[in-house]
Amino acid sequence: MTLVLDAVHAPRARAVALVAGLAGALAVRLGVAGDAGVRSVWAGAVFAVLLLAVVVLADRAEALRPGPWRRQVALGGLGALALCVVPLVVHLTTDGGALPARDFPLWALVVSAVAVTEEMLLRGVLWTALDRWAGEWVALGVTTVAFGLLHVPLYGWSVLVLDLVVGLLLGGVRMVSGGWGGPAVAHTLADLAGWWLR
Amino acid sequence: MTAATVPSSAPSSRPSPEGRVRGRRRGWVVLVAALLALGATVAVRPPHAPPLYDGIGFPDEPYRWVTPPPGESKAAAAATPARATIQVTPGSSGAVSQASRGFSSEQGPQVAFSVAEGAFAAPAKTTSIDLVATPKAAPKPYGDGGTIVSNLYELSALADGKDGAEVPLAAGAAFIVNLRAVRQTNQTVVLCTWDGAAWNQVVTRQVGTEVYAAQLSTLDPIALVRLDQGVQATVAAPEPTADAAAPAGDPATDPASGTSNRTLLITVGGIVVLLAGALLVLRRRTGDE
């Protein structure tokens, strides 16, 4: 009986621990970034490493199981196209200039690492834990809100609505693709597209 | 043991093939809803810069000079103005201008401003005020003791966008402006207004690596001046308050935490991550797997 009760509550405890881990990693990122804010490469790299550590501690198997790869790539690509609507609108309505090309490799590496580890945590192990505990809709709701709030300390409250909507879209990709690989592909490609579409 | 670790009451731990199909159908519904919401969000409030759905911010592009000073190069793209159309509503004691903000289009913005409600002494029957910060070449070097490290930005506030219908700032108004300098420096940088004959320093606060903020009481043209080593600003350093802070929502210029706050964040965040990791390991050892 104790074992059964323990197991029933296990996904909830795991979900709570994962959210706490995400919040802690975010606090460390803010502290490391200091004046540089969101542009700190070091802070982004530290954040990605911490998220990866939390994910691996939670469920190594899930971390290595992004889902059927063809489905993940195809649906992730579609998700990225949808997300690129926003930078495309900005690109067409503003006078953008060229960013320094020498900064791109490191920037792209860290951006990709942050995006992938966020998805491993949010739409990977956290989604699975919430799904097992309370169902898919709760998983969608909690990960969407967590995704939106995650960006507020870095980008300000003005991004909350947009990021909630994007979180919902990435959750939809997770539901359709059946793994965290699709959201990771969509998230990473959309972030990288920002460099070229500005 | 398997039955104990994966209880049958769990909502969807192992969905059937039919359940997976239903789940995918729900996913498509969510996707369509999210796409519609995304379109509505962008239509209602277009972002002023390409968003990152998290990663690290974009690095600044090279400074766009209107007329580059010696030693600086001209960028391919032209410097852009920051604009805002401020709505004016009737109030009990006259027309009241609403709060607003504007950003130029560079990455990161070379000029940004934020105005509080009632910042302008709007004439009666005015419905809106067009506020623009336009980049220009600096009319004259700063002179001994300093170097101009930004474009000059002319500020204009026109009632209903009509030429000549200048609207002054209200007394004590909160009009905050941010300027980006050409590059980061350890020397003192002050925002100066140009009165047509001389540069006048304004109390300035650094709010980003090369972004400086000041609260203005007039709409005189402005530029940033880097003071030479050993030269002191003639205006007092501001108290560390929320005044003259960055316009909200600009990722490149969000106010920085102090050193003690940074240490606290790293310490508390690190402890939370460790505790979360310990809990996750404990769950695995007590049968979560």
Side-chain angles (χ1 to χ4, degrees):
Chain A
M1 186 61 183
T2 306
L3 266 180
V4 172
L5 286 176
D6 190 47
V8 167
H9 294 127
R12 184 174 61 186
R14 179 185 284 193
V16 169
L18 286 166
V19 172
L22 177 64
L26 180 61
V28 172
R29 179 181 184 177
L30 293 170
V32 172
D35 287 356
V38 73
R39 291 185 299 169
S40 168
V41 171
W42 275 111
V46 168
F47 183 60
V49 168
L50 287 175
L51 290 188
L52 184 63
V54 170
V55 167
V56 169
L57 285 174
D59 192 338
R60 258 176 304 197
E62 174 85 19
L64 296 171
R65 202 170 50 226
W69 73 270
R70 284 193 183 90
R71 179 183 292 275
Q72 307 306 308
V73 170
L75 291 166
L78 281 176
L81 278 178
L83 291 175
C84 285
V85 167
V86 177
L88 186 61
V89 167
V90 175
H91 179 68
L92 294 175
T93 55
T94 58
D95 182 18
L99 296 178
R102 67 178 183 280
D103 292 340
F104 181 73
L106 182 60
W107 177 86
L109 181 70
V110 177
V111 161
S112 302
V114 170
V116 171
T117 52
E118 272 187 15
E119 293 308 322
M120 287 171 90
L121 195 153
L122 285 171
R123 254 71 62 172
V125 289
L126 178 59
W127 183 288
T128 302
L130 291 165
D131 188 14
R132 287 178 181 166
W133 169 40
E136 199 169 42
W137 293 115
V138 171
L140 176 66
V142 172
T143 55
T144 298
V145 171
F147 184 79
L149 292 177
L150 169 66
H151 297 81
V152 169
L154 294 161
Y155 296 90
W157 285 101
S158 62
V159 303
L160 181 62
V161 174
L162 179 64
D163 281 329
L164 285 174
V165 171
V166 172
L168 187 68
L169 192 144
L170 292 172
V173 173
R174 170 67 173 83
M175 291 170 81
V176 174
S177 68
W180 60 262
V185 168
H187 190 161
T188 305
L189 291 180
D191 275 0
L192 294 179
W195 182 281
W196 309 105
L197 286 178
R198 57 170 309 286
Chain B
M1 187 64 183
T2 306
T5 53
V6 185
S8 59
S9 59
S12 57
S13 54
R14 288 208 182 275
S16 63
E18 294 81 14
R20 279 201 292 271
V21 170
R22 279 198 298 273
R24 281 182 198 145
R25 281 190 191 140
R26 288 195 295 268
W28 284 112
V29 172
V30 170
L31 269 178
V32 170
L35 282 172
L36 292 173
L38 186 63
T41 304
V42 176
V44 169
R45 191 178 183 193
H48 72 271
L52 276 170
Y53 305 113
D54 205 19
I56 53 175
F58 297 104
D60 286 345
E61 63 179 281
Y63 198 84
R64 300 189 198 178
W65 290 100
V66 174
T67 304
E72 301 288 350
S73 53
K74 191 172 176 70
T80 60
R83 297 175 186 278
T85 300
I86 303 167
Q87 300 303 315
V88 179
T89 54
S92 56
S93 57
V96 178
S97 61
Q98 299 301 299
S100 188
R101 60 193 180 126
F103 300 86
S104 61
S105 300
E106 300 88 3
Q107 177 65 46
Q110 290 181 184
V111 61
F113 55 72
S114 173
V115 288
E117 183 178 296
F120 287 94
K125 296 185 179 176
T126 302
T127 58
S128 67
I129 298 170
D130 285 357
L131 180 58
V132 185
T134 308
K136 300 280 184 181
K140 188 180 166 187
Y142 182 76
D144 291 342
T147 305
I148 295 173
V149 287
S150 76
N151 292 321
L152 182 86
Y153 283 89
E154 286 185 354
L155 304 171
S156 72
L158 300 177
D160 296 318
K162 293 174 187 165
D163 284 343
E166 292 280 352
V167 182
L169 285 171
F175 178 70
I176 296 163
V177 65
N178 283 8
L179 290 185
R180 173 157 77 93
V182 62
R183 63 182 58 86
Q184 187 178 358
T185 178
N186 291 326
Q187 293 167 234
T188 302
V189 174
V190 288
L191 193 145
C192 294
T193 58
W194 172 251
D195 64 10
W199 295 101
N200 303 293
Q201 295 183 12
V202 178
V203 174
T204 306
R205 188 157 76 94
Q206 186 171 1
V207 294
T209 48
E210 68 286 310
V211 180
Y212 299 84
Q215 184 167 333
L216 303 178
S217 56
T218 65
L219 294 180
D220 288 338
I222 50 174
L224 288 176
V225 172
R226 183 183 65 229
L227 300 180
D228 293 344
Q229 292 281 9
V231 174
Q232 299 291 318
T234 57
V235 288
E239 294 295 318
T241 66
D243 291 344
D250 180 7
T253 57
D254 281 340
S257 302
T259 306
S260 59
N261 286 345
R262 292 180 61 184
T263 307
L264 184 67
L265 279 170
I266 293 171
T267 306
V268 173
I271 290 170
V272 170
V273 170
L274 285 175
L275 288 175
L279 179 57
L280 290 167
V281 171
L282 278 175
R283 296 310 312 178
R284 285 168 56 176
R285 289 188 177 172
T286 54
D288 189 7
E289 295 299 303

